[in-house]
Amino acid sequence: MIALACDHGGFDLKEAAIEVLKELGLEYRDFGTHDRKSVDYPVYGARAARAVSSGECDRGIILCGTGVGIGITANKVPGIRCVTCSDTYSARMSRLHNNANMIALGSRVLGTELAKDILRIWLTTDFSDEQRHRDRVEMIARVERGEEIE
Ligand code: RB5
């Protein structure tokens, strides 16, 4: 189950994200917003991130004008590793090396077709099973818990 959320600034990419989810046969839960009326991006970033953090959703796609504000918000929720992404290489590597469980895209930054390619790659790439990457992701969790890592 994929969490999907956007603010008014990200709304224009939402249909593109839904098309990719359907193309890949992935179920999703839509946390709003549902039109272009101005709303506060932290509300929608937090809704989707909390659904991923709780395990209700496996991963999340969030959209705002830049992908920045909503991504920063998501990263404040424990257990979230959200990548704000504008290219396919980072999309792939964020899964392979960082096990990113959320992606934030900016609808004022990306064209529709690039956004769809980024999402296809991000949704179909698995985390690398190499120990060094698992260790580094665990270090991120330790930083989140306020633990020393060096
Ligand atoms: C809304 O105008 C805009 O600030 C928001 O969508 C996002 O880009 C914030 O980071």
Side-chain angles (χ1 to χ4, degrees):
M1 180 67 69
I2 306 293
L4 177 65
C6 66
D7 75 348
H8 57 290
F11 184 75
D12 286 346
L13 270 186
K14 192 173 188 179
E15 206 45 53
I18 290 172
E19 276 176 36
V20 171
L21 289 163
K22 287 184 175 165
E23 177 187 305
L24 296 175
L26 294 171
E27 285 190 281
Y28 64 94
R29 177 155 175 216
D30 186 345
F31 290 89
T33 189
H34 301 290
D35 55 39
R36 293 185 184 82
K37 188 161 77 56
S38 183
V39 292
D40 299 320
Y41 62 79
V43 170
Y44 297 90
R47 279 187 195 170
R50 286 176 177 151
V52 174
S53 179
S54 70
E56 175 191 343
C57 292
D58 306 300
R59 286 200 251 161
I61 298 169
I62 49 179
L63 315 163
C64 71
T66 57
V68 173
I70 206 161
I72 289 172
T73 306
N75 277 316
K76 298 296 179 189
V77 175
I80 297 304
R81 294 176 301 279
C82 182
V83 56
T84 293
C85 192
S86 298
D87 69 280
T88 53
Y89 179 76
S90 301
R92 177 176 292 107
M93 298 313 284
S94 75
R95 291 289 308 135
L96 274 174
H97 285 193
N98 316 115
N99 200 13
N101 52 11
M102 295 190 72
I103 188 167
L105 304 182
S107 81
R108 296 171 185 161
V109 179
L110 294 168
T112 304
E113 293 309 315
L114 176 56
K116 287 169 78 172
D117 272 353
I118 288 170
L119 289 178
R120 283 186 191 103
I121 287 167
W122 189 78
L123 287 164
T124 57
T125 303
D126 290 329
F127 183 42
S128 158
D129 62 2
E130 288 176 63
Q131 189 62 44
R132 71 180 190 283
H133 297 308
R134 280 197 242 118
D135 289 346
R136 289 168 186 157
V137 170
E138 175 53 26
M139 288 171 81
I140 296 172
R142 284 161 55 197
V143 171
E144 188 175 87
R145 295 194 295 266
E147 296 172 11
E148 281 303 327
I149 58 165
E150 58 178 310

